[in-house]
Amino acid sequence: MSSSFQSCAYEGKKMKRFMKECMAVLLAGTMMLGISVSVFAAEKGTVSVTTEDTASKVKKTWNVAENGLFIDNEEFKFTLNYENADPIGTNETVQPKLGKDHFITKQVVITTTWKANAEGGESISAEIGYEKLFEDITFSAPGIYHFELKEEEGKNPNISYSKTSYDIDVQVIWDKIEEGTLKIGGIVTKKRSQNVTNDTEKKVPDAIFVNEPAEHRDFTISKTVAGNAANKNDIFTFTVLLDPNTTSGTYSTNYEKVMVTAGQEATFTLKHGEKLIIHNLPIYAKYTVTEKDSKGYEKTEIAINGDAKKTGKVAEATIIPDCNTVAYTNTNNVASPTGMILQYVPNVLLLVVAVIGCFIFFRRRRG
């Protein structure tokens, strides 16, 4: 029994030694696997643009013809397009990614409370950093990566959108090549211009976009009364409506208390010889003017932009580069009382003749 027990003990030690050896092999294999995984991960290392890489910004300046044309939260959209890449040394470039997909194009927005920030002025600026412009874009290989940045044409009719565009070159280099890590070596911004040929002169610190007011004109609505029964002190009521698809914001007039907001009817009054002038309407803005109260005048006529008068109370037209006027003429006449006088003329003449005849008759008898 003792020898049987010793045999079992021996077998147990042998099993333990075998298990230890297996564990050692398994641990070594795991470590090797971990090393190879680490190396694999390092080879696939990526880098993104951060605030530490550049101080450059996308800057937007919005100029308006008058403060009322600012709109809070108006959005200005910019498109960043990937064009190509140049290799550094013998390293092959790899197309950047936006999220999980290969990057081709991306849109960013600049917005703020423009009107509130302008504080009554007619120019205001806002900006975003390049870290926001390149947000979620990653680079996985060294190279010089070329992008184009431009502003998209918006829909605000008061704005002449910027046609400027920029080249943005992002240099990606090895940070620690043995670990497979990358870093941003530098970012260069160059303004695209036909007038600049020297590459050094093209370089700018920021991508600046300036929007100027679109071409605009004043619009005049006038009132004239005519006729023998007209009253120059009569007050006529009008409304004007600006099409919200062709206008935007609030426009001032020559009357301090009258402001005209796109898409909202504005009411005003005019007397003979008075005019309402709406300022800074963009070319091709559509409007509707309506005379609401004609004061019983027998005829209302309208002349648009100096054309021939047409009978009516509603004027619909578009702002053009030349004259922009709507002239209202209200005519009121009454019939002359001449007909009433003429019907008594024969009797009056007979009476006069009779009086003269009597005078002559009695004068002769006295003679």
Side-chain angles (χ1 to χ4, degrees):
M1 184 172 180
S2 174
S3 82
S4 177
F5 177 78
Q6 289 177 352
S7 176
C8 288
Y10 174 76
E11 290 297 329
K13 289 180 180 180
K14 191 175 179 181
M15 179 61 70
K16 287 182 180 180
R17 188 164 53 250
F18 174 76
M19 291 298 294
K20 286 181 179 181
E21 291 175 353
C22 288
M23 290 297 294
V25 171
L26 182 61
L27 180 60
T30 302
M31 291 177 65
M32 290 180 66
L33 181 61
I35 291 172
S36 69
V37 169
S38 299
V39 171
F40 179 79
E43 290 175 350
K44 298 299 182 181
T46 60
V47 66
S48 299
V49 174
T50 69
T51 54
E52 297 178 357
D53 299 317
T54 177
S56 295
K57 300 179 183 299
V58 181
K59 296 183 177 181
K60 159 58 59 183
T61 297
W62 183 8
N63 299 320
V64 293
E66 59 177 304
N67 180 262
L69 303 184
F70 280 128
I71 298 177
D72 282 342
N73 304 317
E74 178 86 9
E75 292 187 345
F76 294 93
K77 297 178 180 179
F78 304 86
T79 299
L80 182 69
N81 294 315
Y82 171 67
E83 295 190 324
N84 52 55
D86 296 328
I88 294 177
T90 58
N91 296 282
E92 291 187 5
T93 60
V94 176
Q95 186 172 347
K97 286 188 175 182
L98 178 61
K100 296 181 179 180
D101 300 320
H102 286 297
F103 174 65
I104 299 175
T105 186
K106 176 187 177 183
Q107 193 175 78
V108 294
V109 172
I110 292 181
T111 186
T112 185
T113 51
W114 301 97
K115 187 176 179 66
N117 292 346
E119 297 180 344
E122 296 174 357
S123 181
I124 186 67
S125 298
E127 60 188 34
I128 60 171
Y130 272 20
E131 77 282 356
K132 181 69 175 178
L133 177 63
F134 284 91
E135 187 176 37
D136 297 327
I137 298 175
T138 56
F139 303 89
S140 59
I144 299 176
Y145 296 86
H146 303 292
F147 301 85
E148 180 198 20
L149 179 65
K150 61 183 179 180
E151 181 175 6
E152 294 298 312
E153 186 81 12
K155 295 183 179 180
N156 190 321
N158 296 312
I159 297 175
S160 176
Y161 289 88
S162 176
K163 303 299 183 183
T164 303
S165 62
Y166 293 87
D167 291 313
I168 301 177
D169 298 335
V170 180
Q171 183 193 63
V172 180
I173 58 177
W174 291 115
D175 181 21
K176 296 178 180 180
I177 191 170
E178 66 278 4
E179 297 180 9
T181 57
L182 298 164
K183 68 178 181 179
I184 304 297
I187 298 178
V188 175
T189 303
K190 294 179 288 186
K191 185 176 181 179
R192 287 190 177 182
S193 173
Q194 295 179 351
N195 301 323
V196 180
T197 56
N198 188 312
D199 192 63
T200 302
E201 293 179 1
K202 292 181 181 179
K203 293 180 181 179
V204 292
D206 302 296
I208 299 174
F209 298 87
V210 179
N211 287 356
E212 299 294 349
E215 188 177 359
H216 54 275
R217 297 289 186 274
D218 285 353
F219 169 47
T220 301
I221 305 165
S222 63
K223 164 58 66 181
T224 300
V225 295
N228 60 22
N231 184 347
K232 291 183 178 181
N233 293 318
D234 282 337
I235 298 175
F236 298 84
T237 300
F238 294 85
T239 61
V240 59
L241 176 65
L242 302 178
D243 176 18
N245 295 315
T246 56
T247 56
S248 179
T250 299
Y251 301 84
S252 63
T253 73
N254 57 321
Y255 292 118
E256 185 177 351
K257 294 183 179 180
V258 179
M259 304 292 285
V260 185
T261 299
Q264 300 178 19
E265 269 193 348
T267 301
F268 62 97
T269 60
L270 293 175
K271 293 195 299 184
H272 172 77
E274 292 184 336
K275 300 176 180 179
L276 178 77
I277 303 174
I278 305 174
H279 300 303
N280 302 311
L281 290 179
I283 300 295
Y284 309 121
K286 295 180 180 180
Y287 62 81
T288 302
V289 182
T290 305
E291 183 177 275
K292 292 293 187 179
D293 182 6
S294 297
K295 295 295 181 183
Y297 279 61
E298 61 180 348
K299 183 169 62 173
T300 300
E301 294 176 300
I302 304 170
I304 298 177
N305 299 336
D307 291 341
K309 295 179 180 179
K310 295 182 179 181
T311 301
K313 296 182 179 181
V314 179
E316 293 181 317
T318 299
I319 298 298
I320 58 176
D322 301 321
C323 171
N324 290 283
T325 60
V326 169
Y328 277 84
T329 300
N330 290 63
T331 303
N332 203 20
N333 286 308
V334 294
S336 171
T338 303
M340 296 178 59
I341 294 175
L342 289 177
Q343 73 181 32
Y344 293 107
V345 168
N347 294 331
V348 172
L349 290 175
L350 288 174
L351 179 60
V352 170
V353 170
V355 170
I356 293 174
C358 290
F359 175 77
I360 295 173
F361 174 78
F362 286 110
R363 187 173 181 179
R364 286 178 176 176
R365 289 191 61 182
R366 288 179 182 178

